[in-house]
Amino acid sequence: MEKPILRKAASAPKRNSDGARPEFAHWLETTNEITRGFLAAASIPGLINMAGGLPAAETFPAGEVAEIAKRVVTEFPAETLGYGPIDGLPAFRDELARRFSTPSLRLSRANVLVTTSGMQGLDLVGKIFLERGDLVAGQFPTYLGAIDAWRPREPEYRRLMFNAEAFDPVAGLAGAQFAYTVPNFSNPSGKLVSLEMRKALVAAAQQTGTWLVEDDPYGSLYYDDKPLPRLLDLAATDPANGVYDGPVIYLGTLSKEIAPGLRVGWVIAAPDVIEAMTIAKQGSDLCTSGVTQHIALATMQDGIIERSRPAILALYRERRDALCAAMAEHLSEWFEWEVPVGGMFVWAVSRNPELDTDRLSEVALQAGVTVSPSSVFDPELEYRRAIRVNFTLNSPERLEEGVRRLAQVMRTL
Amino acid sequence: MEKPILRKAASAPKRNSDGARPEFAHWLETTNEITRGFLAAASIPGLINMAGGLPAAETFPAGEVAEIAKRVVTEFPAETLGYGPIDGLPAFRDELARRFSTPSLRLSRANVLVTTSGMQGLDLVGKIFLERGDLVAGQFPTYLGAIDAWRPREPEYRRLMFNAEAFDPVAGLAGAQFAYTVPNFSNPSGKLVSLEMRKALVAAAQQTGTWLVEDDPYGSLYYDDKPLPRLLDLAATDPANGVYDGPVIYLGTLSKEIAPGLRVGWVIAAPDVIEAMTIAKQGSDLCTSGVTQHIALATMQDGIIERSRPAILALYRERRDALCAAMAEHLSEWFEWEVPVGGMFVWAVSRNPELDTDRLSEVALQAGVTVSPSSVFDPELEYRRAIRVNFTLNSPERLEEGVRRLAQVMRTL
């Protein structure tokens, strides 16, 4: 659910020169500036982009989507081309409820909101829960898109360091409006949240009342093992009592399973959260496109997601292995990392605590390679010791060349 | 750019019964409750919906859009299905700049932002300009979707009564972050803002510095006369000085010209406004769907908008005339109104200042017809003397039957 970081850092906009025009809202001054220089650089010939979180375009089932697009507009002209319900097409909501239900998790249409991308789910979470100064407890480091989405609401952040020995989930969640986590291959760290920690987080949410936002764009990208249970599954309320009403707010997307260009995502949550988010969505875009919703529904009904998955996993597994092999050969002098068992990223932490990866990123850009500096994943923009390296977009050969260029840069720093 | 008002009024969501969960953001408590009863009523058999602002589905060029959809996904798989630039596909932005440029208005790509519906344009305006308590100067009565979009930002409102004798544009705009107007067939009043007032508003914006938001979903729906110049045109800066950098922020949409289900709109504004809105859009949905953007671009390049327009105008002109004839026959005892020269609505004001149109709407619903009560177009929810009646969705026969039902209700009040 992420655009290349290159476009991230337009800084606070300038005021008009006459000075008489009203100021922009204050939050615009707080956007991260570190990658500003990347903006102009996207056109550098031969640049190897390992900064973004982009899927490989060759995985898009374009031929099938093209046929589906024609079919659904022809079959459902009023539903695809007219205004639809704010909360989504009923048939699509039902399909999502069905797909995520289990014997112990009973979901109905009332648990499902269709969103215009996973990012809109984050925007709506911010709109319904956050006022200036409210507390977000965020898995650290934190997906920069979530920070972007919530910036206009001006929250405060508490860092949740799941891997710290002293981490106490109840203390971590208490007093926050919600806790935020990407449990599957966290963006940016690529790490899995363990089953024990998942259970502890759900228990802490139930104890403290704090909502638990589970952002899961990478949940299908397990390359080596079987998927762990979702927080949503672990928070299932007794189905005998009716539909799901637990503390987990689950955000899903088609961006990694079919194609990001559809901009179709969904939220699964307690009915009163869905109702509040529906009010917020009404003032955000009224409804998600009927064209893209019907395409998304058809890709599910036609089994395209399941048919496409093995090839996607094989492609990305090969690329992960190629990146990690190249890094082991060229970068282990300066960085350490764990080989991720899924997702799209390797998170590499500098052995030298003094390395400033903001600076590294700028120099690397001049050398024809981009990676994401860790500061953009810190709501306070302070943590500068790590880089996030994407492996899904580029071929093994280009990944290796990108790593070589990084090593070249490290020698000069 | 509007869904039926029926779905408008989900009131502030209930809290979870355990009481321990954090509260929703305060603004959710301020949503209008008057049409809450409509929610359950959308399924009333035979209900005549004259409340919403819906285009007639028979105007959608479904066959052409279906072919285009297949073609663009096939031709541009990476651009339609991948992530795109936050601010929109360059070719689409260029096409929009070209379409809105005139000899005296020089627009470039830097003046254009693609949005996911016109409503998103309003949401982004709120995000970049409004903090709690900031002042919006809004044409009164005011489009309810704009009020919805800005509610999470918690602004204050100043009513601009363009038709009041004492109205002073400079005093009206001074001190506001922006002024908001729908100059063509204002939603809800259906009125045109006169050429003189347009010039006065632009002059006042230039004098005070206050931005001027021109929301123009109905600009192509002139049934009797030639269109008046846009505020954007009137604010054109000297082309010799470069691209447009004036105070007008223009919001457009394809919803009335092609189909709302695409959810494609645009903003035309000074480059620094576009830059700020792009930052806000990044955290809202990252980018608009490449599928729907490419469909929208193709409908422009193929001339579908221009080819479709005469039939749309003829259909809506006939419906306007049918509604106004029926109202003249059945409702003139209780209401007065002007026949609108364009747009989608008749705004009827009660002769009796004591009539409560909130109450009228509720009773009318029971009688099988919906209209929009004026309170929803008042940021303070106070003005209850008028109704907004849509004429684009229903056939002449159904419009007449709807008016008969309204008259029946008036006799019982």
Side-chain angles (χ1 to χ4, degrees), chain B residues 125-353:
Chain B
V125 163
K127 280 178 170 163
I128 70 165
F129 286 124
L130 297 179
E131 304 194 349
R132 184 185 294 176
D134 278 351
L135 186 65
V136 174
Q139 179 179 10
F140 186 86
T142 310
Y143 170 48
L144 69 95
I147 301 171
D148 286 339
W150 300 328
R151 197 172 270 123
R153 309 297 300 170
E154 302 183 78
E156 304 287 332
Y157 286 90
R158 176 191 291 158
R159 294 180 178 185
L160 300 184
M161 316 280 273
F162 294 161
N163 298 317
E165 227 164 279
F167 179 70
D168 172 355
V170 171
L173 267 60
Q177 290 291 98
F178 58 84
Y180 174 71
T181 174
V182 185
N184 289 320
F185 321 114
S186 176
N187 185 347
S189 76
K191 288 194 174 54
L192 273 178
V193 174
S194 70
L195 179 58
E196 293 64 36
M197 183 59 73
R198 290 174 193 230
K199 289 178 177 170
L201 289 170
V202 169
Q206 279 158 342
Q207 184 177 333
T208 60
T210 295
W211 298 99
L212 192 47
V213 176
E214 176 177 28
D215 191 3
D216 194 27
Y218 315 110
S220 63
L221 300 182
Y222 273 81
Y223 306 131
D224 303 321
D225 297 308
K226 292 183 85 154
L228 292 177
R230 300 181 181 101
L231 300 178
L232 179 68
D233 294 320
L234 297 171
T237 38
D238 181 356
N241 293 337
V243 301
Y244 172 75
D245 191 32
V248 172
I249 299 168
Y250 178 91
L251 309 183
T253 169
L254 272 187
S255 293
K256 277 56 179 184
E257 296 194 289
I258 293 290
L262 295 177
R263 312 310 295 135
V264 172
W266 53 85
V267 181
I268 298 175
D272 63 341
V273 172
I274 297 298
E275 193 182 346
M277 291 180 90
T278 301
I279 293 172
K281 183 172 166 67
Q282 175 166 352
S284 299
D285 66 1
L286 269 181
C287 60
T288 295
S289 166
V291 176
T292 56
Q293 282 190 81
H294 259 294
I295 292 174
L297 174 58
T299 64
M300 291 181 176
Q301 291 172 334
D302 293 3
I304 296 177
I305 292 176
E306 286 72 18
R307 280 207 304 281
S308 306
R309 186 170 295 154
I312 293 176
L313 294 183
L315 185 78
Y316 290 171
R317 188 185 297 116
E318 181 195 11
R319 291 179 175 191
R320 174 202 60 180
D321 293 344
L323 174 67
C324 289
M327 287 177 69
E329 186 177 344
H330 300 292
L331 288 176
S332 51
E333 179 181 342
W334 299 286
F335 288 95
E336 49 192 353
W337 63 90
E338 288 173 24
V339 176
V341 298
M344 299 186 136
F345 307 109
V346 173
W347 180 249
V349 179
S350 166
R351 295 181 188 277
N352 173 3

Side-chain angles (χ1 to χ4, degrees), chain A residues 113-160:
Chain A
L113 174 72
V114 176
T115 56
T116 308
S117 80
M119 178 63 87
Q120 187 182 54
L122 294 167
D123 178 58
L124 299 178
V125 163
K127 279 178 171 164
I128 71 166
F129 286 124
L130 296 179
E131 304 192 352
R132 183 185 292 174
D134 278 352
L135 187 65
V136 173
Q139 178 179 13
F140 187 86
T142 308
Y143 169 48
L144 69 95
I147 300 171
D148 286 339
W150 301 328
R151 198 172 270 123
R153 310 297 300 171
E154 301 183 79
E156 304 287 331
Y157 286 89
R158 177 190 289 158
R159 293 179 177 185
L160 301 184

Side-chain angles (χ1 to χ4, degrees), chain A residues 283-302:
Chain A
S284 300
D285 66 1
L286 269 180
C287 61
T288 295
S289 165
V291 176
T292 56
Q293 284 191 79
H294 259 294
I295 293 174
L297 174 58
T299 64
M300 292 182 174
Q301 289 172 335
D302 292 2

